[in-house]
Amino acid sequence: MEMLMEYMAKGFVAMLTISMPCVLTAAGIGLVVGILQAVTQVQEQTIAAAPKIVAVFLVIMIGGYGFTKILTNLTMEGFAMAFNVVPKNEEFVLPSDYYKYTKPFAGEMRDGVKPASNLIDRVQKTPRNGLGSNKTGVDGSLYISPPKNTGSKSNLVENMKLNGN
């Protein structure tokens, strides 16, 4: 848990290191343009946008290599931690023979699903009108048809199919 918190702190520092020059540049340009607007009494909000965009673009172009190095170092440190440190920490890793004596998802697999090959063989051996014709399911159990009166009405296309049109 301490490693995670330390790595998150390093991520926040990297985020601030990358974003701070851009934010400070935009704030500085905004302050200068605001003072110029106050002196000239030109109160147009869009005048400050173009210098801010250009200045932030220049900061990103000048500092881009350094920003990329900061992100690369953070990412490489994260991968090194994930693949070298965490697997050696015995609290987080399952033993190598964990699934040998257990059945994962055993509680969820109560319906006893048969393999697909059994289904394919069954479909090929059944009559042309489908599995329901002999009133047994794929696994040999008795096929129970759904109730006839479900309360929903068929639409126009279903009615035409039922009537043979």
Side-chain angles (χ1 to χ4, degrees), residues 42-158:
V42 176
Q43 298 299 322
E44 182 62 35
Q45 298 294 325
T46 58
I47 292 175
K52 284 182 187 178
I53 291 171
V54 170
V56 169
F57 178 73
L58 287 175
V59 167
I60 291 173
M61 292 300 292
I62 293 169
Y65 180 73
F67 299 159
T68 305
K69 281 305 244 183
I70 291 170
L71 284 177
T72 303
N73 290 340
L74 183 70
T75 304
M76 294 303 285
E77 185 180 345
F79 283 144
M81 189 184 313
F83 293 118
N84 296 330
V85 176
V86 173
K88 293 177 182 166
N89 191 349
E90 294 182 11
E91 291 179 26
F92 300 115
V93 179
L94 294 174
S96 60
D97 61 346
Y98 177 75
Y99 290 114
K100 183 176 181 182
Y101 303 107
T102 61
K103 291 185 177 179
F105 310 113
E108 290 86 1
M109 303 288 287
R110 293 190 183 127
D111 57 350
V113 177
K114 300 292 182 185
S117 62
N118 186 14
L119 175 65
I120 294 171
D121 292 340
R122 179 70 181 211
V123 169
Q124 289 175 348
K125 293 177 184 176
T126 55
R128 187 176 164 109
N129 57 354
L131 291 174
S133 62
N134 54 7
K135 299 296 183 193
T136 58
V138 174
D139 57 353
S141 63
L142 182 63
Y143 176 76
I144 300 172
S145 61
K148 297 291 181 189
N149 189 6
T150 59
S152 62
K153 294 185 177 183
S154 56
N155 61 17
L156 178 65
V157 175
E158 290 173 342

